[in-house]
Amino acid sequence: MPRATQYVPQMGEIIQGLLEKGVAYQRTATRSTSRSRASRATGKLSGKVLDELEAGARVADEARRRTPRDFALWKSDPHHIQQWDAPWGRGFPGWHIECSAMSRTYLGDTFDIHTGGENNIFPHHECEIAQSEGFTGKRFVNVWLHAAHLNLEGEKMAKSEGNVLYPKDLVAEGVAPVAIRWYLQSVHYRQPMNFTREALKAASSGVERLLNFHDSLKHRADKGPEGVAAVKVVESLDEARVRYVAALDEDLNVAEANAVLFDLMRALNAMDLTRGDAAAVLGFLTDVDQVLGILPIGEESLEAEVERKIQEREAARRRRDFKASDRIRDELLAKGIVLMDSPDGVRWRRK
RNA sequence: GGCGGCAUAGCCAAGCGGUAAGGCGACGGAUUGCAAAUCCGUUAUUCCCCGGUUCGAUCCCGGGUGCCGCCUCCA
C-alpha cells in the first residue's frame, strides 16, 4: 500500500513539469502564500459546464486563482502539520497530486482501470486527469469505474449519523463472510446498493446453494459412478464459459454472470454425473472462482469422533435401525454437521 | 438553484426498440425410510407518473415525482 507522504518528490516532479509547460502558475500575491495551480482539463467525467461552475457561490478564495476551475497543486499554510521544502516554497501537496504521482510510479503514464466512488468524480478524478495529462501529454486512464454508494436499510451509510455496519460485526453475529462477499458483489457496481438484512439473507441462501453444489461435485468426483466427461456436460460448460465471460465484458455485468452459474447448476443438477463429469465441472468452477473468490480454500476435515459417529450411523442404516441413525444425525446436526444421504454414500458439511 | 446517476414482482436484481434473465421467499408436486440436498410447476398484462416518436417502448425524446452523488482545499 503506497503512502502519499512517501511520494512527495514524485509529486514535485509533476508540479515542476506543469510549471515549465505553463499549465500551472504560481501565486505569491496573497500574503506569504505561494501556490501553483493547474487548470482543470475538464468536465471530462462529470459533464459539468465550467462557465456555470464559476457562478457557483462557494468559491471562497477566488482571489488566489485565475479561474475558479483551477486548483492547488501545492499549498502553503504555516500552521499545517505537514511541511516539506520545495522550489516553490515550504508547504504541502495539494489535494489530488499524490494520486497522479503514485499511479504514475507504479502503473505508468497510462493505465487501464481506475476505480473509485462516484463522489470522487468531481473534483478529485478530474483534477487527476488534468494534472497527469497536462504533465505527460498522454491519456491518463482508459476506463473509469465509478461505484455507486452503499445505503443501509434505506438510509445513507454515514458514520456521523451512526448509520454504519461493519463486516466484522456481521461475522460476529454468525453471518458467513462468504455470504457478505456474495451479497456485495451481486449488485452492479454502478447501481446504488441498499444493504438490508433481508437481502443479505437471500444472498446467503443463494451462495449456500452454489457452495453445496461444489461440495457435492467433489463427492461425486471421488465416489460417483466411473466415467469420463460426457459431451453434453462439456458443451454445457463451454457455453457457460462463453456466456460468463461475455457478461463480465459487458461493463462487469455480474448479475448476468451469476445467472449463468445458476442456469448451469440447475442443468447439471438434473443430470446424473460421472466422476469425469464432476471433475470437468469442478475445473470450470475453479476458473470462475478466480472472479468470485467464494470457494473454500483447502479441505475441511472432521474430528475422529464425528467420523466414528457417521460410520456408526451408516451401520445403523444398513440394518434399517432408523431410530438409531436418526438420533445420531440429530446429534451431529446439533454440533453443526449436516448429513446428506446420496446414492454414492453419505456426505457431510458444516452448517 | 445547476450538473450527473437511478426508479423493474413480496424482497434482491438483469435488460438498452420486438413484446419481462437469474436469485431469495411463498405455494403445489416429484424424489427420500424420514430428512437434507436436488428436480418440476405456479408466482410482473400501468417495467414510478404524464405526454411524444415508432408498425411496435421497460428500453428513444420531452415534462413531472422520488431517491442518491457532486457543485472545491477532506482525499
Side-chain angles (χ1 to χ4, degrees):
Chain A
M1 207 50 166
R3 290 191 170 194
T5 51
Q6 289 167 196
Y7 294 81
V8 176
Q10 287 86 338
M11 296 183 218
E13 190 191 335
I14 295 176
I15 294 172
Q16 192 61 46
L18 289 170
L19 282 169
E20 283 165 12
K21 282 190 169 184
V23 180
Y25 54 91
Q26 279 191 49
R27 277 275 153 146
T28 49
T30 318
R31 299 194 174 184
S32 61
T33 311
S34 144
R35 298 194 170 197
S36 314
R37 299 170 191 284
S39 194
R40 189 164 333 162
T42 257
K44 249 185 169 171
L45 299 175
S46 67
K48 286 186 192 300
V49 178
L50 297 173
D51 290 343
E52 290 182 4
L53 244 187
E54 291 188 37
R58 289 168 61 178
V59 182
D61 60 345
E62 201 148 354
R64 292 173 179 173
R65 55 183 102 176
R66 289 178 187 162
T67 73
R69 81 180 73 165
D70 293 351
F71 58 95
L73 292 166
W74 190 261
K75 296 187 275 193
S76 167
D77 177 355
H79 302 298
H80 199 86
I81 345 171
Q82 298 179 307
Q83 300 286 339
W84 284 269
D85 282 313
W88 40 88
R90 190 169 168 75
F92 55 99
W95 268 16
H96 321 287
I97 195 74
E98 70 294 334
C99 287
S100 288
M102 294 190 288
S103 65
R104 183 163 172 269
T105 301
Y106 293 102
L107 307 171
D109 290 344
T110 299
F111 59 99
D112 280 337
I113 303 171
H114 188 136
T115 62
E118 61 179 351
N119 58 315
N120 286 142
I121 295 174
F122 178 90
H124 189 54
H125 292 159
E126 288 186 340
C127 289
E128 280 184 54
I129 295 174
Q131 296 161 342
S132 293
E133 298 195 349
F135 178 68
T136 67
K138 299 176 195 161
R139 187 187 178 91
F140 178 46
V141 164
N142 290 134
V143 179
W144 290 86
L145 296 188
H146 286 111
H149 286 175
L150 181 61
N151 288 154
L152 246 193
E153 301 289 348
E155 300 281 325
K156 180 166 66 170
M157 175 123 96
K159 228 188 231 175
S160 59
E161 289 162 38
N163 194 225
V164 274
L165 186 62
Y166 298 98
K168 62 174 185 199
D169 295 333
L170 288 172
V171 172
E173 284 173 29
V175 177
V178 69
I180 300 172
R181 167 170 284 192
W182 179 260
Y183 177 40
L184 292 176
Q185 66 84 46
S186 68
V187 179
H188 189 89
Y189 76 93
R190 273 193 289 105
Q191 195 77 346
M193 178 177 190
N194 183 30
F195 190 105
T196 64
R197 298 283 178 162
E198 191 184 358
L200 172 63
K201 206 169 166 221
S204 180
S205 301
V207 75
E208 181 75 14
R209 257 184 82 202
L210 231 31
L211 259 21
N212 186 242
F213 175 57
H214 176 256
D215 219 45
S216 71
L217 284 170
K218 284 203 297 190
H219 193 251
R220 269 269 143 146
D222 187 32
K223 303 199 168 77
E226 303 273 0
V228 294
V231 174
K232 190 168 65 168
V233 172
V234 172
E235 280 176 353
S236 297
L237 295 178
D238 287 345
E239 191 197 324
R241 194 185 297 271
V242 169
R243 283 179 61 203
Y244 193 82
V245 171
L248 292 181
D249 278 349
E250 195 55 52
D251 195 19
L252 227 50
N253 193 340
V254 176
E256 180 82 38
N258 288 165
V260 172
L261 255 30
F262 280 103
D263 285 342
L264 177 72
M265 177 165 68
R266 199 168 353 92
L268 294 173
N269 266 152
M271 297 182 202
D272 195 26
L273 303 181
T274 63
R275 292 185 193 188
D277 292 329
V281 180
L282 280 172
F284 174 79
L285 289 184
T286 303
D287 287 348
V288 164
D289 200 51
Q290 292 186 322
V291 175
L292 298 175
I294 59 163
L295 297 183
I297 298 164
E299 292 291 318
E300 274 204 281
S301 58
L302 282 176
E303 303 81 75
E305 195 200 321
V306 175
E307 198 79 63
R308 208 183 56 237
K309 291 271 183 197
I310 293 177
Q311 294 310 322
E312 218 175 279
R313 174 171 176 275
E314 285 300 278
R317 287 190 72 219
R318 272 196 294 274
R319 48 173 205 271
R320 300 188 69 80
D321 181 356
F322 298 121
K323 202 166 173 185
S325 72
D326 287 354
R327 199 195 65 241
I328 296 172
R329 185 173 64 195
D330 291 345
E331 204 178 298
L332 291 177
L333 185 62
K335 287 175 148 182
I337 309 277
V338 184
L339 295 186
M340 289 165 281
D341 296 322
S342 81
D344 309 325
V346 66
R347 183 160 72 81
W348 62 273
R349 72 181 165 91
R350 291 187 196 280
K351 202 176 165 191

